[in-house]
């Protein structure tokens, strides 16, 4: 999928238009058009209304998590069980399990 910025402002243009850009963001909110800024008409940055960014944030977080998940799934290193991690840390797996159960009971009582 290829994205093409509708129009790219040079830095001088963006600087001179900044008050009007901010006013559009204030009045139009999330529906205000993003403004692309760059050099040689190639986008380098974008001004996005804060309201739109707030709406997009959960989706951006999901994309970041999906990237991390893909990286983990591609990792071919052997994984350790909880008991193996406990032992590697010098902990008694049975004691850790008992403490976990006690904490879960406390949470259930709330």
């Amino acid at each position: 999928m290829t994205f093409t910025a509708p129009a790219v402002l040079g830095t001088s243009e963006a600087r001179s238009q900044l008050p009007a850009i901010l006013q559009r963001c204030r009045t139009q909110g999330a529906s205000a058009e993003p403004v692309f800024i760059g050099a040689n008409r190639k986008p380098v940055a974008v001004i996005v209304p804060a309201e739109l960014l707030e709406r997009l944030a959960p989706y951006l977080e999901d994309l970041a998590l999906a990237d991390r998940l893909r990286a983990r799934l591609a990792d071919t290193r052997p994984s350790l069980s909880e008991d193996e991690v406990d032992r590697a840390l010098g902990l008694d797996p049975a004691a850790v399990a008992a403490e976990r159960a006690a904490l879960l009971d406390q949470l259930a009582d709330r």
Side-chain angles (χ1 to χ4, degrees):
M1 184 167 124
T2 303
F3 175 77
T4 304
V8 180
L9 297 179
T11 54
S12 296
E13 288 176 281
R15 189 178 303 114
S16 68
Q17 293 183 28
L18 187 57
I21 293 168
L22 294 177
Q23 183 59 32
R24 276 197 310 272
C25 289
R26 274 188 217 98
T27 58
Q28 296 176 15
S31 64
E33 287 287 321
V35 177
F36 293 85
I37 302 168
N40 302 317
R41 301 295 176 198
K42 292 185 181 178
V44 174
V46 63
I47 298 175
V48 178
E51 186 179 327
L52 177 59
L53 184 59
E54 288 171 2
R55 289 183 187 181
L56 292 174
Y59 301 102
L60 297 172
E61 290 169 7
D62 288 348
L63 288 172
L65 286 172
D67 286 343
R68 289 179 60 197
L69 178 60
R70 278 191 284 280
R72 281 192 180 172
L73 290 173
D75 189 349
T76 58
R77 294 177 294 178
S79 60
L80 300 174
S81 69
E82 288 182 36
D83 288 351
E84 291 169 322
V85 171
D86 292 342
R87 286 191 196 93
L89 294 173
L91 303 172
D92 175 20
V96 171
E99 188 173 340
R100 183 184 306 115
L103 288 170
L104 289 173
D105 287 343
Q106 285 178 0
L107 288 172
D109 291 339
R110 288 184 182 184

